[in-house]
Amino acid sequence: MNKTALITGINGMDGSHLADLLLDKGYKVYGMERRSSGINNVNTIHLEKKVIFLKGDMTDQNSLLRCLKESNPDEVYNLAAQSFVGESWNTPEHTSNVTGLGVLRVLEAIREFNPNIKFYQASSSEMFGRMVENPAKESTPFYPRSPYGVAKLYGHWITKNYRESYDMFACSGILFNHESERRGIEFVTRKISDGVAKIKLGLTDHISLGNLDAKRDWGYAPDYVEAMWLMLQQETPDDYVIATGETYSIREFLNIAFHHVGISNWESYVKQDPKFMRPAEVDVLRGDYSKAQNDLGWKPKTTFEQLVKIMVDNDIKLIQNV
């Protein structure tokens, strides 16, 4: 019998890629989206006749319970969040309510409706923040450096608490930075790929960025959603770091992106703007995915260079097709 899954935050990058994966595996997929005046379906327009979309809100537990009753899922993947780290300083209360307490509301709704539902929580490498240990693994102490990281840490710990308190199958994937051609334009990686495409096509002459020296462990989102699915196929629930084990700086991202379109002197096209600097910067993030490799049989498939080129090529294509 085919399984049924409910994905919160389906319109985001991860949600849309996960829906693609689950549909390929024969799942019946429900996607929860927030009611708004504008339809945010850029990433999911291709799923309109394949996925059943439900209206729900991470700040309203009754709406979450209704989504569960309507979908009656075997698995719930909680990907909904205020997920832009920079914005979390501007809206810390909203970020905490959605990204932190929202996890509690989903877990409570599951516990009330059907505690046998398998639950996946999208935790984040931002919980490690200052990086007490490099590379970070599941046992590494957390030290978040943003309201977003703190909110994600609450969601991570409440998931673990419900697993241990109520014997629920609840997992957290501590995902390090992962990107794709579906990443929102406000994120630095997509800002770069979009900017490089526009510079290549003569539509702009520069990109405005913040800290160019921050280093991240970057993977490809379609690889990472497979790890989410694998976690819920295990006999026992657990938490896993999902990463590549490699770090690259913003400068290296820029270098590959510009060279890919034939521009070598990229420094003259990049301007640093203080408004994009974070109040508390995370200098480096790198993860150790050995537990996921050993237990889940998972490892990243896409290299950093391939990721950058995929994003740049896609943005060139998008602009040319407008």
Side-chain angles (χ1 to χ4, degrees), residues 63-315:
S63 72
L64 299 174
L65 187 56
R66 285 194 295 271
C67 286
L68 288 173
K69 289 178 178 178
E70 192 165 344
S71 60
N72 191 24
D74 300 289
E75 301 170 359
V76 171
Y77 295 85
N78 183 41
L79 310 184
Q82 189 300 98
S83 57
F84 187 40
V85 178
E87 176 60 23
S88 72
W89 276 282
N90 296 326
T91 57
E93 183 178 344
H94 171 71
T95 299
S96 300
N97 194 12
V98 174
T99 306
L101 285 174
V103 185
L104 172 64
R105 296 186 186 103
V106 178
L107 286 165
E108 269 294 282
I110 290 173
R111 189 169 75 91
E112 183 176 337
F113 174 67
N114 178 7
N116 293 318
I117 292 172
K118 292 186 174 183
F119 174 76
Y120 171 83
Q121 165 59 17
S123 290
S124 169
S125 61
E126 288 287 335
M127 300 187 310
F128 292 120
R130 189 172 275 182
M131 286 287 287
V132 176
E133 183 180 26
N134 186 358
K137 51 183 181 288
E138 292 79 7
S139 60
T140 300
F142 298 113
Y143 199 137
R145 297 268 286 167
S146 66
Y148 170 80
V150 173
K152 277 291 186 182
L153 187 53
Y154 176 86
H156 178 79
W157 278 111
I158 201 66
T159 299
K160 185 186 291 283
N161 182 257
Y162 269 58
R163 179 171 72 219
E164 295 176 353
S165 299
Y166 302 114
D167 196 28
M168 293 172 64
F169 195 108
C171 300
S172 285
I174 309 173
L175 272 58
F176 277 69
N177 293 68
H178 50 289
E179 313 296 330
S180 86
E181 59 276 22
R182 299 179 188 175
R183 175 57 90 185
I185 199 70
E186 70 273 19
F187 289 81
V188 65
T189 50
R190 182 71 193 288
K191 194 173 182 181
I192 292 172
S193 63
D194 176 71
V196 168
K198 287 176 178 175
I199 289 170
K200 171 65 176 178
L201 298 174
L203 300 176
T204 189
D205 60 2
H206 74 279
I207 308 172
S208 294
L209 301 171
N211 181 13
L212 303 185
D213 297 311
K215 293 183 177 181
R216 294 292 183 268
D217 184 330
W218 272 303
Y220 189 42
D223 294 347
Y224 283 39
V225 298
E226 182 182 17
M228 299 177 189
W229 174 77
L230 285 169
M231 289 179 209
L232 296 197
Q233 312 315 307
Q234 305 306 302
E235 291 187 7
T236 56
D238 207 345
D239 305 326
Y240 296 91
V241 164
I242 304 300
T244 70
E246 300 177 355
T247 56
Y248 296 91
S249 67
I250 302 290
R251 291 183 189 277
E252 289 172 295
F253 198 109
L254 286 162
N255 191 51
I256 292 173
F258 274 105
H259 274 80
H260 184 52
V261 297
I263 298 173
S264 56
N265 61 328
W266 60 264
E267 290 87 353
S268 60
Y269 294 97
V270 176
K271 296 180 181 179
Q272 285 188 277
D273 190 330
K275 75 178 181 181
F276 296 121
M277 298 293 187
R278 297 179 179 180
E281 182 59 82
V282 174
D283 297 319
V284 60
L285 288 172
R286 183 162 69 103
D288 177 357
Y289 67 92
S290 57
K291 180 180 175 182
Q293 186 171 22
N294 293 333
D295 293 1
L296 309 178
W298 180 89
K299 62 180 180 179
K301 300 172 184 175
T302 309
T303 67
F304 177 67
E305 185 171 352
Q306 288 171 333
L307 162 65
V308 177
K309 291 179 178 179
I310 287 170
M311 294 181 68
V312 172
D313 287 342
N314 183 75
D315 277 322

Side-chain angles (χ1 to χ4, degrees), residues 11 33-41 55:
N11 288 320
E33 58 182 359
R34 196 163 36 91
R35 186 177 297 280
S36 61
S37 57
I39 300 175
N40 176 27
N41 64 350
K55 298 299 181 183

